[in-house]
Amino acid sequence: MQGGEPALDERGLPAGYPWRADWEVTPREVRAMRKAGEDFLLLDVREPGEVAAAAVEGAEVLPMGQVPSRVEDLRGDADRPVVVMCHHGVRSLRVAAFLRQMGFADVRSMAGGIELWSRDIDASVPRY
């Protein structure tokens, strides 16, 4: 725990986190999906400089600002689960909502973003 951060609950979320079960998955759930070999797209919508600072291996990078103009490039993934991630989970929720509006059936945001991934799953991923 850094600088008086709240403890994590049984799901790996900070105490008091406003969990949205139908919109989010936890980093622990994403790790479990990967370990189980599930076929899903992990879409990182952070900017290139952020990805250079810290990344989750295997994530496809598409900055949030480019998603609307490149949504057709993602159509091949429309029938499989999509997990969107960003730094803390705000941008990824917006992108998840947009992709749902565009007809993607199973899209969720990774709660807490790469920050929580680093804190709870892989401490070798730098925090910024």
Side-chain angles (χ1 to χ4, degrees):
M1 199 166 18
Q2 273 187 0
E5 294 174 318
L8 301 180
D9 67 16
E10 67 280 353
R11 294 176 299 203
L13 297 171
Y17 184 88
W19 175 247
R20 300 161 206 85
D22 34 329
W23 282 96
E24 295 178 297
V25 293
T26 68
R28 289 180 186 179
E29 290 172 314
V30 173
R31 176 184 61 191
M33 292 165 65
R34 294 176 104 186
K35 282 186 176 181
E38 291 185 33
D39 181 27
F40 71 99
L41 171 64
L42 181 58
L43 182 64
D44 188 336
V45 297
R46 295 174 303 135
E47 294 298 316
E50 293 177 283
V51 175
V56 173
E57 186 178 329
E60 182 175 322
V61 178
L62 180 59
M64 180 179 170
Q66 295 178 23
V67 171
S69 64
R70 295 196 41 212
V71 72
E72 293 307 315
D73 296 344
L74 297 173
R75 287 284 173 205
D77 295 299
D79 293 331
R80 67 180 183 145
V82 178
V83 175
V84 187
M85 63 172 281
C86 63
H87 189 192
H88 290 286
V90 176
R91 287 175 282 180
S92 56
L93 273 170
R94 290 181 183 156
V95 171
F98 173 77
L99 291 175
R100 284 184 181 190
Q101 289 174 344
M102 298 303 295
F104 287 71
D106 185 0
V107 183
R108 291 176 289 164
S109 169
M110 187 170 78
I114 197 164
E115 175 71 15
L116 190 54
W117 179 271
S118 175
R119 186 172 165 205
D120 190 45
I121 304 300
D122 185 356
S124 72
V125 173
R127 294 172 71 183
Y128 63 99

